[in-house]
Amino acid sequence: MKLYDGFISQINSLTENKGKCFAFSASKLNAASKNNVLLLKDTAYELGGSQKSCVSTLAVTSTYSFDNEILLIGEDLPEIKSDCAFAKLVLIEIDDIPEDEAFEKIKELELVRYQCCPEGFMTRASALNMREQIRVSKKAVKKKISFADYGNFLIEEYLKNPLVKSVKIILITGEFDYDSLYTLSEKIKETTSALNHILDNVLFDCSSCNLKPICDEVEGMKELHMKTAGM
């Protein structure tokens, strides 16, 4: 699976030599209940709240390998005092898989952000807007829970999937080039949509397809399209 490699390379270029890396270790956080609700009165602040910049994306690869690490750029959870801008970028190394299984497998991995959350946090995610706002409880702040703790929890959840070989979680707060991250996230979303479009054999007239620009840009997408069409 190499369709997202160009985007991963750009994300790495934007974030390399910035922030601080934390090596993965066993998580000390418990999973919140499925119907977890964090009320405003119990919330210390919201990452990506108050209309601040907020970007979330997930990209997979069978080319790159990661060290099961968390990269933090910006302030850590105990240092944040109020709602702030936030980005959460999840890069996952997977076993190479047939193209006709790719969309389903990627969607399984994307479900983690909706289904898994540690105690003391509540996620409000929108795949359409590529936002993932996270409420952080006053109790979590009081316990000095860090982004390393939060990231370890997420990595453990992703590694439960037998397809996953390694994970890198990039968490960003405060000032950053969120516009560039948003553009990359939009292209990743469009690539996944185009992948589903191709595998469903919906349309093979490229000249009239609104996803033609992304197929032209992403190496291997047009080849997959032709292969699926039997051309």
Side-chain angles (χ1 to χ4, degrees):
M1 177 54 61
K2 300 180 179 180
L3 297 179
Y4 302 89
D5 285 5
F7 305 133
I8 291 174
S9 177
Q10 291 178 68
I11 289 172
N12 285 336
S13 294
L14 283 170
T15 59
E16 66 183 351
N17 300 320
K18 295 179 181 178
K20 182 177 180 180
C21 282
F22 301 92
F24 170 66
S25 61
S27 175
K28 64 182 183 182
L29 302 181
N30 296 318
S33 62
K34 290 185 178 180
N35 298 318
N36 176 52
V37 175
L38 186 58
L39 301 176
L40 281 175
K41 66 183 180 66
D42 300 316
T43 300
Y45 51 79
E46 186 168 17
L47 305 171
S50 299
Q51 301 301 311
K52 304 285 187 180
S53 297
C54 186
V55 183
S56 175
T57 194
L58 178 148
V60 302
T61 178
S62 57
T63 305
Y64 291 92
S65 61
F66 308 107
D67 295 324
N68 290 332
E69 63 182 359
I70 303 102
L71 171 61
L72 171 62
I73 302 174
E75 292 184 318
D76 206 339
L77 292 172
E79 301 164 342
I80 298 171
K81 305 304 180 186
S82 60
D83 294 358
C84 65
F86 178 62
K88 176 180 165 186
L89 316 172
V90 180
L91 310 180
I92 300 180
E93 178 196 10
I94 61 172
D95 287 321
D96 206 7
I97 54 176
E99 289 90 346
D100 59 356
E101 298 179 12
F103 180 78
E104 179 183 347
K105 298 300 183 183
I106 290 169
K107 286 301 177 182
E108 285 180 11
L109 293 170
E110 288 182 345
L111 282 176
V112 169
R113 66 176 174 175
Y114 300 103
Q115 298 177 341
C116 302
C117 189
E119 286 183 346
F121 298 81
M122 186 183 82
T123 299
R124 300 195 295 162
S126 169
L128 180 64
N129 297 322
M130 296 167 297
R131 294 178 67 89
E132 187 171 348
Q133 297 173 216
I134 300 176
R135 286 185 179 178
V136 182
S137 71
K138 294 176 181 177
K139 287 184 178 180
V141 173
K142 187 175 182 180
K143 290 180 180 178
K144 299 187 182 299
I145 292 174
S146 68
F147 270 125
D149 300 323
Y150 177 81
N152 284 331
F153 176 88
L154 290 181
I155 291 174
E156 278 191 353
E157 292 300 319
Y158 285 114
L159 289 176
K160 289 177 182 179
N161 188 315
L163 187 66
V164 175
K165 300 175 70 174
S166 66
V167 184
K168 182 176 183 178
I169 308 285
I170 303 174
L171 302 167
I172 303 171
T173 61
E175 294 185 4
F176 198 80
D177 184 2
Y178 291 96
D179 288 342
S180 293
L181 292 179
Y182 185 87
T183 298
L184 284 169
S185 298
E186 178 70 26
K187 289 181 178 180
I188 289 170
K189 184 184 77 169
E190 289 175 346
T191 299
T192 304
S193 296
L195 180 62
N196 183 44
H197 178 88
I198 290 169
L199 297 177
D200 277 348
N201 296 318
V202 174
L203 181 66
F204 291 114
D205 182 3
C206 293
S207 63
S208 62
C209 179
N210 64 337
L211 294 173
K212 184 179 184 298
I214 196 70
C215 287
D216 289 342
E217 181 176 353
V218 177
E219 185 178 354
M221 187 66 80
K222 183 167 288 188
E223 179 183 345
L224 173 59
H225 198 163
M226 303 299 279
K227 177 181 175 182
T228 307
M231 301 170 70

